[in-house]
């Protein structure tokens, strides 16, 4: 790194490649959010790497003036793992889609999360395969009509953050493409030492336009958004409703706040270190929980562990080298 | 306790092949490897071949639970664990059943009679007890109550019957040590170290070992049992050790990375017979090696490519089914032109096949098994010790040419051990990698180096000013940006092929391992058949025939000058442990009538099989003709 | 099927192949449990199929006198899916291991569960790779010393039932190899219409002996076993302790029962249809929850859905055939 | 509204090649396919070639966002979408930029001047406006304000500017219909159906279509613009339809399953250009077809194998990277001897390569791309319509020989359409499968059928008394139980190879598609190069040279008699859209000096390219010599 680093701006992180997403694609907003966030984090272009799979979303690295690797379908977390554990000083981001990360790549996502490799993993969820022209994905709703499901899909979808929790992920968050809070979420993901999964609801105006309208609509959205914050009661973004727990049935119910309704004290309070709460928030019926659902601050980081073992072994062995290795054990002279 | 052997007159033999066989639980691998160490220290040349039961522990006493270990040692340079054994140790009826057919007529047969119970005989499928019928007459039988004698030897340690019985392999080893004049001391030391925390077990085993040895010395063995001594082989002077193929590959990779001046990353998913590569490397963290047991083979190779992208030597190892899974990712390394070493420790196929048996049937997969025109470098190691050097070569070519290199070994050399002259590390030629660091003006990630290799530059992420993106889409030859231009794609496909082909100019030209250019028949081999072919050709040549041996280490690209060499012979015979893959490759590339000789039996060639076939082909000195094997 | 079916016994389900597991392997007990259970279910040998991957456990089909398919590593659920949706009348069991099902095959497990294909999936969890001689697995504890982790593993393990819940599985149960209750669990899995996952803790005496001793030990085990039953309070098998929920912190605590301790009424009551409860039970600190953790009775079954669409299409099309298809759309005469 | 065309005198042409080109958003594919339908109904023979932009929608106006559709129609049998177009329609500057180089000098060039804005010119990389400089002088330019005229035509529907502009492709189509004397009615009908729920959109489009047509009739076009009429081709009589390759493959699979008397299962994971196979089959649920979009390619093929195990015809389809992932599972189908059809719709490689471009570079992968000795049957379809018959043949061979069959097509025929004489389904030869049902005594799952095929019996789970287990481990030839016996493995490997080789006796022997046996040069092709080669050879033969054409549909095993045929020619030339894969296969198998001619440009051969190369090779009538391409 240079001694007197020039203060970088959003523009420094934009590559010279023309952005080739469809007009109106939610990917633009996410790109802008990331380009805006990186300078704030003090990131440098040379020590930042974006690794992606295949999909519309996975074209992302081409648009970043950083190091980048557009790999193969579904495997981005594995390339990132190899890179990160050999080059821990690099700041590695993984970009994936709902098909890339949860269909063909579901297993790698599971394992990178459980290992807790220090990466930011941004999953663009548009509930569709954009790049291959509109087939349903593992997050598509039942009944989704698509070229491969002309009579509607019968596959029950997975919920990305729930898959992550099932994998014992240590940082799980959710936002959406055009949200003003997205940069802040990205910052938190970046600050987390370990694998930080951020699901971003993303609109695909071409093949799945408006699937998230209920949540992202400027007007009606706020009543369906539940931005959670550690230690705070759970209230929808319009301030009108909140979540209350019935501990007997273990069901969460959405209740009216204010006059005639319940008071804030009765509401469920978010504890981002409690995995059960994160789980309960993962798939609520009427509202979408957003923000950091779960964070396990002191979880051991995989790449740290790898280095620690190497260092320990080196210390213990003292000056052992290849020549010594070849002569270890029984040898004899002829 | 003295471990010296009494000064008895021993029959001198040029070479001996011994096979230890018993139930999986009988500790035969251990017996074999201790005997091997002791033999190596006597200065004999040797080769071994452990022959495991398939995968899962089988019920005791059954034929599919038989575990074997063969060792061939001699006073001269030898290369194979031998064909028919001279001595067979059979610890139970099943071991006898399975192995007797290979024992030389007149060979020495040592059996543990205590194991010949009705139940065991039945499990082995014997109708009558072979010790009691005539069937063993052709052999020199030494029927010993090994179990009983072992128990007696260890009673003082109060181990309980089970633990006591476990020492019977040591009793047997002691006897064999005596028969072949080996020193017990290393085994004694080893036992003490191994059972440091359970000294009574160590002592019991040592007692059993000594008891067996003493039995040999003192028992009035039947006169047919000779006492052997194999004089030391005339090996070149130096410091030696035993090494098996996977150990040699692992160490070669470490050496290669050091010679390149780079860290080594090894990503793998366990699979027989490649797992011990991972195990060996996992033990070398003190040399800076990073190993990663991935969730599957795809993750393993991709992690290795990720490490290469980051500036390490990325290596992955597996066997055939794992390579099949890695094909797509290897294609990415080809397209992005990143170094990568893939070790394929071949086993019996297709599909799950015969996981514990050896085979050479992944050659096609190595050369051709990917989508698109996707050339890479393919190397093959010939012996366990050769794995060390071929692994270094793999790292050298991968980093110099920015290409994946597939290194083919197989279960036979992976598990087989040989005495190995330890190289002087300081004399290995370094090939330090220079990362590209600038200037940033005009920089393109697919800039070619100006060293004639056609290789692109390698830039480490973290280098300021050279930020760039790579990927699996076709890229413009100049800028490295994604390009859908037709002519560019044509040119890039040709360039990738040319780059790999250029490796031929950087490796030794084709040359004969034995014999003279031009002649009646050339035997072309590759990989682990080296030893058998070498000896077979030696034998035939002693008969005065103009036969030669050429052993390929460079499978792709083929070495320069090969076509000319092959064309000099009336016949070209290609023995392979597959259905004729190299033969087909040679025919297609060189338009030479190379005729396969296939053995697809999960087992190495026997020298005699090769000799017979060579002589058969020489015999009918008819004009060359295509074998029916390779007609369409 | 024959008209007057002979009553089958356990022996009818045993094939003529000698069982080739190590002496003392937990797999024997599971084999016995299944062979004992099948006749009770009225299963026939010809309509039962066992599909497995690769591993010690995956040798299972060879020992069953039914149809069987020993496939490739990690993929058993996919073969079973193809089989079941084309031959719904067959009773298909999937046998997998912790490596087979959660390492290389994790993604297929995730997808077969979320789709809810009508299968019984028995996951033999010995926390080790048995077949390949003892490397650590995704369920191995941190610190596991194995040939591939001579200094101890640093990978944080996954919890199989938790992965299943994360995949939105509809039936999730856990038992152990030598448990007397295993046959009953298998029966319940069989009765469930959809993908029923049963994790079976299995001892590998050769490479991981005694990992589950704390739970399975005849004497001390019961105090660590928490067999859950729908509608019943959660009490350990020795009857001495129970689970209580603190609804504020959402933590479960293990409390003493009886005199001086708490009363049963205060205990948490199992509701097997509540996914959050199942989640909370999935990985308890001192005890292991066993039995049916989760069951979603009316979830749509994937293979039913496939057939329904085909039938619907056929009905709608009436007598349409290939000849009609070829002539559909624009045609013209020359 | 009359759709008849005025009775104008039209120039008669043997054949015309038209290329429609515009921005991705301009609806050129739709324009092209409507023009194709109308042309087919005129009785012309035709071939089309849609040329999509790569993968993602590019920003409007850029060159990489250009979408093209080429149609070649004629009064005679034609087979390719033609080389250089006679007519180019360019809807914007980028389309002009990309396509002008291919337009014949003197060809007709129709451009939408409204799109030639400063901004668009810049995006296309034009320094100056080509409409205003001299650069278009060599062409017959028809510069029209298409946008403006379209808007005018649709004002009455009050659509808003955007929607109105979307109709400009229909305006253009109307003009083209007039120029080439096509009937508008089918397009009118189609528009009404497509926009049944938005009749105002339908009406606006129809109005635009008519306006374009009327413009053609009434405008005083410059004298250089001729009015063409291509007389009907002399096609064999019958009922015709247009069909593209993926549609034909899908329908052929359905036909094959019906002829076998079995249900069809199709497991797939979307990938360009194979996805539409899945889409086509997903629409055929009413024919009992079960489709399954799997989580990945491995799951897709395994599910298909599971379905085959259950007694269905299990099929999976994908492109190169997907086949790479399926290798291990295909090996299992080989080992367990289950029927399986794998459709590989090839695309540009290696790795992600050029997903939307065509290539033939998966031949090696198809024949060799698996671990172990793992033979299967490989077929290749030559034209879109041929896909139907080859798919049937794939099902026939898979079920008869209990083997996986790989069917190779490519992006070119998958997306390209041609008029297709609809076969009489009742005349297709059925090949009903008989499942083995007993007796249970002595039953073994690897019992061989007694029909000379070496195929094992196929038993449906559910059959009482025949319960059995199969798997990927080697099995005893007799009992089917797991076997580690060496000789058995050798025998089984040979048997699997022999079984597949035996297919050669069950398919047509090698024969020439054109020309006579023996001669100066034989062009050997395979797959989608059929049309270009056929026409190129026709042209060269008109010059009196002894050239012939042989087109392989059976890649593995090669058909009988091939070697003899090839040896009859002085030269054998193998044009391929890869780096010489079939050539290398032929050399290796037949030891014949087949010399590749490669075009690896993501694009089909042009007839003229082939003619030039054939003539070049004929020209130097020197003795045969190996091409440098294939030296080692
Ligand atoms: C091995 C392989 N299989 C299939 C494909 C085709 N493919 C590319 S992207 C994609 C899915 C994209 O969906 P998603 O990950 O949701 O990304 P999006 O385009 O929606 O951003 C598929 C199926 C491929 N490139 N490689
Ligand atoms: C593609 C492939 N990779 C690796 C292997 C080797 N392999 C076979 S079983 C196994 C793991 C077995 O572990 P588990 O599933 O836990 O079964 P267990 O033996 O413990 O019952 C491995 C790595 C293989 N057969 N195929
Ligand atoms: S297809 Fe959808 S996801 Fe892809 S670039 Fe277009 S709008 Fe975005
Ligand atoms: S290795 Fe372990 S799991 Fe495998 S058979 Fe032996 S005891 Fe059972
Ligand atoms: Mg998507
Ligand atoms: Mg296990």
């Amino acid at each position: 790194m240079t001694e007197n680093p020039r203060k970088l701006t959003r523009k420094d992180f934009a590559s010279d490649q023309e952005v080739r997403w469809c007009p109106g694609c939610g990917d633009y907003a996410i790109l802008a959010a990331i380009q805006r966030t990186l300078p704030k984090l003090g990131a440098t272009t040379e020590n930042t790497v974006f690794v992606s799979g295949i999909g519309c979303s996975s074209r992302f690295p081409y648009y970043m003036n950083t190091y980048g690797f557009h790999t193969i379908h579904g495997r981005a977390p594995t390339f990132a793992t190899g890179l990160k554990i050999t080059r821990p000083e690099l700041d590695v981001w993984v970009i994936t889609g709902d098909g890339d990360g949860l269909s063909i790549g579901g297993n790698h996502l599971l394992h990178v999360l459980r290992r807790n490799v220090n990466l930011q993993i941004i999953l663009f969820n548009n509930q569709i395969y954009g790049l291959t022209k509109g087939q349903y994905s593992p997050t598509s709703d039942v009944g989704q009509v698509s070229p491969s499901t002309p009579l509607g899909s019968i596959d029950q979808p997975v919920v990305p953050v729930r898959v992550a929790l099932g994998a014992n992920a240590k940082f799980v968050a959710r936002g959406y493409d055009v949200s003003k809070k997205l940069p802040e979420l990205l910052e938190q993901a970046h600050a987390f030492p370990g694998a930080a999964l951020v699901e971003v609801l993303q609109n695909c105006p071409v093949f799945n336009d408006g699937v998230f309208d209920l949540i992202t609509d400027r007007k009606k959205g706020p009543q369906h958004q539940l931005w959670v914050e550690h230690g705070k009661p759970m209230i929808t973004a319009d301030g009108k409703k909140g979540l209350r727990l019935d501990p007997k049935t273990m069901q969460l119910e959405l209740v009216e706040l204010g006059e005639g309704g319940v008071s804030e004290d009765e509401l469920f309070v978010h504890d981002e270190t409690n995995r059960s709460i994160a789980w309960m928030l993962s798939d609520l019926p009427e509202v979408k929980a957003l923000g950091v659902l779960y964070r396990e601050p002191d979880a051991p980081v995989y790449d740290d562990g790898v280095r620690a073992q190497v260092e320990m072994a080196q210390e213990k062995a003292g000056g052992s080298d290849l020549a010594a290795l070849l002569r270890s054990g029984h040898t004899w002279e002829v | 306790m003295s471990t010296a052997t009494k000064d008895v007159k021993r029959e001198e033999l040029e070479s001996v092949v011994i096979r230890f066989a018993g139930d999986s639980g009988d500790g035969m691998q251990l017996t074999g490897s201790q005997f091997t160490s002791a033999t190596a220290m006597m200065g004999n040349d040797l080769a071994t071949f452990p022959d495991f039961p398939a995968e899962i522990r089988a019920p005791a006493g059954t034929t599919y639970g038989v575990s074997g270990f063969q060792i061939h040692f001699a006073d001269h340079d030898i290369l194979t664990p031998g064909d028919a054994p001279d001595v067979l140790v059979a610890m139970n009826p099943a071991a006898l059943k399975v192995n007797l057919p290979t024992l030389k007529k007149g060979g020495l047969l040592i059996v543990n009679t205590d194991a010949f119970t009705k139940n065991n005989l039945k499990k082995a499928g014997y109708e009558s007890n072979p010790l009691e019928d005539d069937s063993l007459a052709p052999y020199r039988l030494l029927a010993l109550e090994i179990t009983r004698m072992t128990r007696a030897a260890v009673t003082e340690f109060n181990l309980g019957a089970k633990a006591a019985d476990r020492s019977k392999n040591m009793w047997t080893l002691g006897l064999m040590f005596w028969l072949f004049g080996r020193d017990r001391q290393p085994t004694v030391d080893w036992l003490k170290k191994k059972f440091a925390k359970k000294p009574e077990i160590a002592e019991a085993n040592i007692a059993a070992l000594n008891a067996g040895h003493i039995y040999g010395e003192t028992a009035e063995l039947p006169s047919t049992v000779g006492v052997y001594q194999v004089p030391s082989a005339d090996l070149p002077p130096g410091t030696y050790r035993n090494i098996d193929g996977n150990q040699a590959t692992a160490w070669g990779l470490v050496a290669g990375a050091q010679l390149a001046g780079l860290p080594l990353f090894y990503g793998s998913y366990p699979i027989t017979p490649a797992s011990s590569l991972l195990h060996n490397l996992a033990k070398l963290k003190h040399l800076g090696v990073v190993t990663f047991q991935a969730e599957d083979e795809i993750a393993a190779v991709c992690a290795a490519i990720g490490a290469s992208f980051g500036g390490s030597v990325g290596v992955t190892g597996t066997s055939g089914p794992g390579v099949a899974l890695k094909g797509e990712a290897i294609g990415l390394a080809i397209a992005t032109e990143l170094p990568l070493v893939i070790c394929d420790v071949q086993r019996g196929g297709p599909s799950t096949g015969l996981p514990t048996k050896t085979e050479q049937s992944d050659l096609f997969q190595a050369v051709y098994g990917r989508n698109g025109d996707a050339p890479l470098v393919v190397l093959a190691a010939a012996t366990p010790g050769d794995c060390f050097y071929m692994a270094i070569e793999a790292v050298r070519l991968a980093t110099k040419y920015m290409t994946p290199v597939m290194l083919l070994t197989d279960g036979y050399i992976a598990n087989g051990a040989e005495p190995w002259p330890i190289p002087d590390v300081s004399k290995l030629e370094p090939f330090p990698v220079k990362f590209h660091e600038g200037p940033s003006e005009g920089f393109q990630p697919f800039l070619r180096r100006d060293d004639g290799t056609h290789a692109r530059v390698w830039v480490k992420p973290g280098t300021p000013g050279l930020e760039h993106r790579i990927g699996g889409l076709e890229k413009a030859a100049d800028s490295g940006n994604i390009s859908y231009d037709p002519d560019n794609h044509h040119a890039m496909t040709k360039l990738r092929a040319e780059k790999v082909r250029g490796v031929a100019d950087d490796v030794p030209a084709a040359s004969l391992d034995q014999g003279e250019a031009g002649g009646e028949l050339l035997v072309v081999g590759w990989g682990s058949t080296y030893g058998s072919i070498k000896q077979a050709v030696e034998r035939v040549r002693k008969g005065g025939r103009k036969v030669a041996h050429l052993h390929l280490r460079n499978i792709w690209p083929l070495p320069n000058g090969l076509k000319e060499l092959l064309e000099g012979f009336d016949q070209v015979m290609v023995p392979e442990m597959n259905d004729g893959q190299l033969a087909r490759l040679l025919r297609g590339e060189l338009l030479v009538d190379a005729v396969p000789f296939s053995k697809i039996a999960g087992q190495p060639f026997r020298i005699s099989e090769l000799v017979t076939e060579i002589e058969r082909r020489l015999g009918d000195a008819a004009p060359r003709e295509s074998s029916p094997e390779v007609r369409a």
Side-chain angles (χ1 to χ4, degrees), chain A residues 191-205:
Chain A
F192 181 75
L197 179 94
V198 184
E199 176 195 359
V200 184
L201 310 180
Q202 172 242 325
N203 192 38
C204 167

Side-chain angles (χ1 to χ4, degrees), chain A residues 226-248:
Chain A
L226 188 87
W227 286 92
V228 296
E229 246 179 288
H230 186 63
K232 301 260 173 77
M234 298 178 185
I235 302 174
T236 54
D238 64 353
K240 293 201 180 136
K241 290 184 179 174
L243 275 189
R244 188 171 61 179
L245 174 78
D246 179 341
K248 275 287 158 224

Side-chain angles (χ1 to χ4, degrees), chain A residues 4-58:
Chain A
N4 219 331
R6 180 170 68 85
K7 187 128 182 54
L8 299 182
T9 68
R10 173 184 169 181
K11 267 186 99 179
D12 292 305
F13 285 94
S15 79
D16 61 353
Q17 295 291 297
E18 254 177 296
V19 185
R20 300 193 193 176
W21 289 308
C22 309
C25 178
D27 292 357
Y28 285 98
I30 309 174
L31 176 64
I34 293 186
Q35 287 175 339
R36 232 181 273 127
T37 305
L38 287 177
K40 281 195 236 159
L41 306 175
T44 61
T45 54
E46 69 267 25
N47 283 324
T48 304
V49 186
F50 282 84
V51 179
S52 66
I54 302 282
C56 293
S57 32
S58 288

Side-chain angles (χ1 to χ4, degrees), chain B residues 3-354:
Chain B
T3 61
T5 53
K6 269 200 200 160
D7 192 15
V8 276
K9 181 81 205 116
R10 289 163 195 279
E11 187 180 343
E12 289 227 351
L13 290 174
E14 275 196 347
S15 81
V16 178
V17 176
I18 303 180
R19 188 168 182 90
F20 297 90
D23 205 61
S24 306
D26 285 343
M28 289 297 101
Q29 299 303 324
L30 219 140
T31 312
S33 62
Q34 283 301 312
F35 192 87
T36 304
S37 293
T39 299
M41 297 187 68
M42 296 291 293
N44 290 135
D45 197 19
L46 62 85
T48 66
F49 178 43
D51 190 12
F52 300 67
E55 307 172 55
I56 299 200
R57 272 153 195 68
T62 56
T63 50
Y64 41 82
V66 171
S67 175
F69 187 100
Q70 187 158 318
I71 169 169
H72 181 187
F73 54 102
D75 62 349
H76 55 260
D77 206 15
I78 57 166
L79 299 141
T80 76
D83 296 348
D86 303 293
V87 182
L88 172 65
V89 177
M91 297 299 280
N92 72 357
L96 184 67
K97 178 95 179 193
V98 170
N99 291 291
L100 191 65
T102 60
L103 182 62
K104 275 193 194 140
K105 296 282 134 97
L108 176 61
L109 172 62
I110 300 174
V111 296
N112 175 15
T113 53
D114 292 330
F116 280 64
T117 62
K118 225 173 167 170
N119 193 8
N120 277 347
L121 286 163
K122 201 178 135 213
K123 279 196 210 156
Y126 276 115
E127 311 263 297
S128 73
N129 189 341
L131 301 180
E132 288 161 10
D133 59 25
D134 256 4
S135 57
L136 301 181
Y139 312 97
R140 293 183 291 154
L141 178 66
L142 193 50
L144 304 170
E145 293 176 302
I146 296 179
T147 309
R148 199 189 50 75
M149 290 192 282
T150 304
R151 281 188 199 161
V154 304
T155 35
E156 56 175 304
F157 304 99
N158 295 318
L159 295 178
K162 251 198 172 164
D165 284 1
R166 265 200 220 114
S167 313
K168 65 181 181 297
N169 61 334
M170 286 299 130
W171 194 98
T172 314
L173 183 62
L175 174 67
M176 297 298 286
F177 277 177
W178 182 77
L179 275 173
F180 293 93
R182 308 286 90 141
D183 187 0
R184 268 168 294 165
Q185 196 56 48
T187 299
V188 168
D189 295 345
W190 175 83
L191 283 166
K192 282 192 176 149
K193 203 167 143 201
K194 181 171 161 95
F195 296 109
K197 286 188 189 138
K198 296 178 186 165
E200 71 288 0
I201 301 276
E203 287 309 323
N205 273 294
I206 293 165
L209 182 78
N210 291 334
H213 200 262
I214 289 163
Y215 180 89
E217 287 184 69
T218 57
E220 296 189 17
L221 295 184
S223 65
T224 47
V225 178
V227 176
Y228 300 94
Q229 182 172 354
V230 178
S232 333
D234 198 14
L235 295 174
T239 309
Y240 280 72
R241 64 168 303 126
N242 268 328
I243 199 160
D244 68 45
N246 276 355
Q247 196 177 19
T249 302
W251 293 3
L253 290 169
V254 174
Q258 292 199 356
L259 295 170
L262 299 179
L264 179 68
F265 173 90
Y266 185 76
S268 188
Y269 184 71
I271 186 166
T272 305
S275 304
S276 68
L277 268 177
L278 172 62
H279 305 166
N280 271 300
L281 286 163
K283 282 187 283 194
L284 304 183
K285 294 203 165 48
H286 60 283
L287 295 175
V289 175
V290 172
T291 58
F292 173 61
Q293 178 177 315
E295 58 269 30
D296 65 13
E297 283 85 354
I298 299 176
V301 65
C302 293
I305 296 171
S308 288
F309 177 64
S312 291
V313 176
V315 182
T316 187
T318 184
S319 189
V323 175
L325 288 167
K326 291 174 200 275
E328 191 204 4
I330 295 172
L332 178 69
I334 293 170
T336 53
E337 303 187 43
L338 281 170
L340 173 71
V341 175
I342 310 116
C343 304
D344 179 359
V345 187
Q346 299 165 95
R347 68 187 213 185
S351 191
T352 306
L354 292 170

Side-chain angles (χ1 to χ4, degrees), chain A residues 207-280:
Chain A
F207 295 113
N208 213 11
D209 197 24
V211 263
F212 300 118
D213 274 3
L214 198 69
I215 299 141
T216 61
D217 184 79
R218 289 236 176 151
K219 273 202 196 139
K220 297 200 181 150
Q223 55 182 306
H224 299 107
Q225 296 174 14
L226 188 87
W227 286 92
V228 296
E229 246 179 288
H230 186 63
K232 301 260 173 77
M234 298 178 185
I235 302 174
T236 54
D238 64 353
K240 293 201 180 136
K241 290 184 179 174
L243 275 189
R244 188 171 61 179
L245 174 78
D246 179 341
K248 275 287 158 224
T249 62
M250 286 292 288
Q251 302 286 3
L252 287 172
E253 43 173 351
L254 200 62
V255 292
E256 299 273 352
L257 288 180
E259 279 169 63
V262 305
S263 89
E264 282 198 14
D265 313 347
E266 294 177 51
L267 295 183
F268 202 36
V269 172
H270 187 44
D271 174 358
E272 65 179 20
T273 67
N274 185 310
R275 210 186 271 271
S276 299
I277 293 177
W279 172 261
M280 295 178 77

